[in-house]
Amino acid sequence: METIAVKLLSRYVIAAGTMAFELEKPEGFGFQAGQHTIVQLPELKYEDKKGASRPFTIASAPGAGTLLIVTRQTGSGFKKTWQELPLESEIRITPAKGELVLDQDKPAVFLTGGIGITPFRSMILDNYHEGVETPLTLLYSNKTAETAAFHSFFTRMIKDFPALNYVPTLTETNTHHNDWNGEKRMLDDAFVRDYVNDLTVPV
């Protein structure tokens, strides 16, 4: 398996139980929004039956100067090791691949929850940076506002990107969110029908 050496540039909490890892982008490293790479750590500090490598979707746009990987901290040996790896440490990644890519000429509706937001962040950012005005609808479900990675990012983005319709929802309705003005229900068939006018076309 071909791998490329990169450095871990930064690491920060992006939502409750969720970490963002910013990696050096190798010269000539290209990818399509929505594709993934396999991250390989030099060695594991903690035991992990799945080994020292994992596939992750690239959350940054293809035109960004670095690569952003976002993952839930599940407590696995791999993720605990990565979380404690010193900055500037060398890890290895594979060339990007995957068929979950967007046709920028066609409107799209994204239905996702939790950490599944990562490929759609890349796609939406790519359209924004490229000046693509094709309508995009993002329906995004999370248990609580604290676990919603990139919620504030998309809330700000819609002010500058009218092609994006962002509809977040929370599913733990017994949790009090005094500052939450969005939906508080399951992302189900009825939810989709409320926000997608004609299901025979994307939007």
Side-chain angles (χ1 to χ4, degrees), residues 141-153:
S141 175
N142 284 276
K143 289 182 179 180
T144 67
E146 292 75 21
T147 61
F150 300 118
H151 168 63
S152 58
F153 171 84

Side-chain angles (χ1 to χ4, degrees), residues 3-188:
T3 60
I4 308 162
V6 298
K7 289 182 179 180
L8 173 60
L9 301 179
S10 68
R11 171 180 52 229
Y12 51 91
V13 175
I14 200 164
T18 305
M19 293 288 296
F21 298 84
E22 186 180 15
L23 307 179
E24 176 185 24
K25 186 177 182 180
E27 184 176 352
F29 186 93
F31 68 96
Q32 290 180 274
Q35 290 189 313
H36 66 273
T37 183
I38 296 175
V39 173
Q40 181 179 316
L41 302 182
E43 60 180 346
L44 291 177
K45 185 177 179 180
Y46 304 95
E47 182 179 356
D48 192 315
K49 294 181 180 179
K50 294 184 179 180
S53 62
R54 292 287 193 284
F56 294 103
T57 300
I58 302 170
S60 47
T66 58
L67 301 176
L68 186 67
I69 304 293
V70 180
T71 178
R72 294 288 195 217
Q73 290 305 105
T74 60
S76 69
F78 175 94
K79 292 184 178 181
K80 287 171 64 179
T81 298
W82 200 9
Q83 188 174 2
E84 296 178 12
L85 201 65
L87 298 184
E88 297 298 316
S89 292
E90 183 178 286
I91 63 176
R92 302 193 72 86
I93 62 174
T94 62
K97 62 180 180 179
E99 298 180 358
L100 182 62
V101 295
L102 181 67
D103 183 341
Q104 292 182 320
D105 294 328
K106 296 181 179 179
V109 176
F110 304 129
L111 312 179
T112 191
I115 201 60
I117 191 66
T118 53
F120 307 121
R121 180 185 187 271
S122 180
M123 293 174 187
I124 291 167
L125 267 176
D126 192 33
N127 274 26
Y128 174 69
H129 290 154
E130 295 294 327
V132 178
E133 299 180 356
T134 306
L136 301 174
T137 298
L138 173 60
L139 309 183
Y140 185 32
S141 175
N142 284 276
K143 289 182 179 180
T144 67
E146 292 75 21
T147 61
F150 300 118
H151 168 63
S152 58
F153 171 84
F154 287 116
T155 300
R156 295 190 304 270
M157 189 175 189
I158 56 176
K159 297 176 182 179
D160 298 320
F161 191 36
L164 175 63
N165 179 27
Y166 173 54
V167 187
T169 186
L170 305 182
T171 57
E172 286 194 355
T173 54
N174 59 336
T175 304
H176 296 290
H177 296 286
N178 296 328
D179 59 347
W180 183 264
N181 297 318
E183 288 278 10
K184 295 181 181 179
R185 56 181 173 131
M186 297 294 293
L187 205 175
D188 54 14

